Amino acid sequence: MDVKEDVQENIREPLMPIENILAHEDGGAGDRTNNKKVNPCMVYFSTPIAVCGSYAFGSCAGYSSPTQSAIREDIALSLAEYSVFGSILTFGAMIGAITSGPIANYVGRKGAMRVSSVFCVAGWLAIYFAEGVWPLDIGRLATGYGMGVFSYVVPVFIAEIAPKNLRGALTAANQLMICAGVSVAFIIGTVLTWRALALTGIIPCAILFLGLFFIPESPRWLAKTGKEKEFEAALQKLRGKDADITHEAAEIQDYIETLERLPKAGMLDLFQRRYLRSVTIGVGLMVFQQFGGINGICFYTSTIFESAGFSSSVGTIIYAILQVVVTGLNTIVIFTSIRLKS
């Protein structure tokens, strides 16, 4: 068998050996007994701390809409200069998203969230003290970078710490908190000065940075980096001191070992014929979502309402409330469907 055929054979191997799957099915009654001892309190405590990063994401995205008139007046920015200020956030987010994976793999999920928090705090302070266009743009770029890292590491962290029956519902909280951050920035931005609104963006970052000292690291990342004792301690802390984590720990180890045996995939592998349909659908959905222009509407909501002859304050508040309500309903639907299937 040549190298190419060997690679193909490895790719066809299941991520979980069949004997482990059968053992899991045979031991179903025992697993259900052990699950009664699972206490997800630490998961419920860790998730709100993690989604402070999602809220910080929303604060960054929602900042430019209610502050446009005040910033342009105070610092004498032209429309073009303010447009750069509003849109440069997305360039920072792109850089953050590209580098988030390597950062999260090297320093851990908690470490990546700390890095992101530092960038966001530095960016907000630069905006608060800005007296010209350059500090504004640098601060906006820094918050965008932090936003990009948050967009990856927060849902990954939640998915890795949550038990299977809670994973979908808890990761849905990520999007809910993003919308909450945008909406709160819209609403309080109608009554606060633009400098004070920048300071409010520091609050979720500070809560997250401090809260990370009280929650465990992702067990999957610890297992992947070979930190066996830390891995078992983190998993035990997340499932409760009386929970039997033997089966889940073995499952995680088997999964990681299987992944390591598989050939390392590169970007060009995505364009192989057998993957092309899935890649086209998955990437296409994300691309068309962004090309729908939702970020442009979010960044300039107040100006859009004003141009339409509608009160910018009233329109912004209605927009903010509606998006939280709709996202909240979506979260409830996801949680309910998961509960019905489990």
Side-chain angles (χ1 to χ4, degrees):
M1 183 180 292
D2 59 23
V3 175
K4 184 176 180 180
E5 290 176 344
D6 185 50
V7 170
Q8 298 284 349
E9 190 64 30
N10 284 334
I11 291 175
R12 294 191 190 99
E13 291 182 7
L15 290 179
M16 181 64 64
I18 190 66
E19 58 269 19
N20 287 8
I21 297 174
L22 293 174
H24 173 68
E25 292 176 350
D26 293 339
D31 291 337
R32 284 191 292 271
T33 301
N34 291 335
N35 283 340
K36 292 180 181 178
K37 299 178 182 179
V38 172
N39 183 358
C41 287
M42 180 53 70
V43 174
Y44 289 138
F45 177 71
S46 301
T47 300
I49 291 174
V51 294
C52 284
S54 307
Y55 184 93
F57 179 119
S59 298
C60 296
Y63 179 76
S64 62
S65 175
T67 58
Q68 179 173 348
S69 299
I71 291 178
R72 288 189 61 194
E73 183 179 342
D74 288 356
I75 305 187
L77 297 184
S78 66
L79 181 60
E81 288 173 328
Y82 191 83
S83 297
V84 171
F85 170 74
S87 60
I88 202 171
L89 179 83
T90 57
F91 287 97
M94 284 190 288
I95 299 170
I98 292 170
T99 59
S100 60
I103 292 173
N105 287 336
Y106 183 72
V107 299
R109 310 331 188 194
K110 288 171 60 177
M113 286 189 279
R114 286 193 180 100
V115 169
S116 186
S117 297
V118 169
F119 270 91
C120 285
V121 169
W124 286 124
L125 289 176
I127 292 172
Y128 176 77
F129 289 108
E131 297 294 342
V133 64
W134 283 108
L136 276 176
D137 289 346
I138 292 172
R140 186 75 166 164
L141 187 68
T143 57
Y145 181 85
M147 190 174 92
V149 176
F150 278 140
S151 69
Y152 168 78
V153 72
V154 171
V156 167
F157 176 76
I158 295 172
E160 290 181 344
I161 67 171
K164 292 178 182 178
N165 63 319
L166 296 175
R167 197 167 295 157
L170 292 180
T171 51
N174 173 61
Q175 186 61 40
L176 179 62
M177 291 302 290
I178 290 174
C179 288
V182 173
S183 298
V184 171
F186 280 179
I187 293 170
I188 65 175
T190 61
V191 295
L192 295 180
T193 66
W194 63 272
R195 294 187 190 274
L197 186 60
L199 289 181
T200 64
I202 297 176
I203 297 173
C205 299
I207 295 173
L208 173 62
F209 192 90
L210 295 174
L212 289 172
F213 289 103
F214 302 98
I215 63 177
E217 178 59 271
S218 161
R220 288 182 180 267
W221 179 79
L222 292 170
K224 185 179 179 181
T225 53
K227 299 177 180 179
E228 299 294 333
K229 291 183 179 180
E230 293 90 339
F231 157 63
E232 292 181 3
L235 187 60
Q236 190 72 69
K237 191 172 184 180
L238 287 164
R239 301 295 178 261
K241 64 179 182 178
D242 296 324
D244 183 359
I245 62 169
T246 306
H247 175 75
E248 186 176 2
E251 188 180 74
I252 292 172
Q253 293 283 20
D254 287 344
Y255 178 74
I256 291 171
E257 289 172 6
T258 303
L259 284 181
E260 289 176 350
R261 288 199 303 268
L262 293 176
K264 300 299 181 184
M267 183 66 69
L268 294 178
D269 293 328
L270 295 175
F271 298 97
Q272 295 180 24
R273 188 173 181 179
R274 64 178 177 275
Y275 301 137
L276 199 56
R277 183 178 179 183
S278 299
V279 170
T280 302
I281 293 173
V283 175
L285 287 172
M286 291 188 288
V287 169
F288 282 112
Q289 180 192 29
Q290 295 302 314
F291 274 85
I294 186 61
N295 284 337
I297 295 173
C298 178
F299 294 167
Y300 304 105
T301 300
S302 61
T303 304
I304 292 171
F305 279 115
E306 189 176 340
S307 299
F310 194 81
S311 170
S312 61
S313 298
V314 174
T316 299
I317 292 172
I318 293 173
Y319 177 92
I321 294 172
L322 282 177
Q323 73 171 354
V324 171
V325 171
V326 172
T327 307
L329 290 174
N330 178 57
T331 303
I332 294 171
V333 169
I334 293 173
F335 180 75
T336 304
S337 63
I338 292 170
R339 297 288 293 178
L340 291 175
K341 289 180 180 179
S342 61

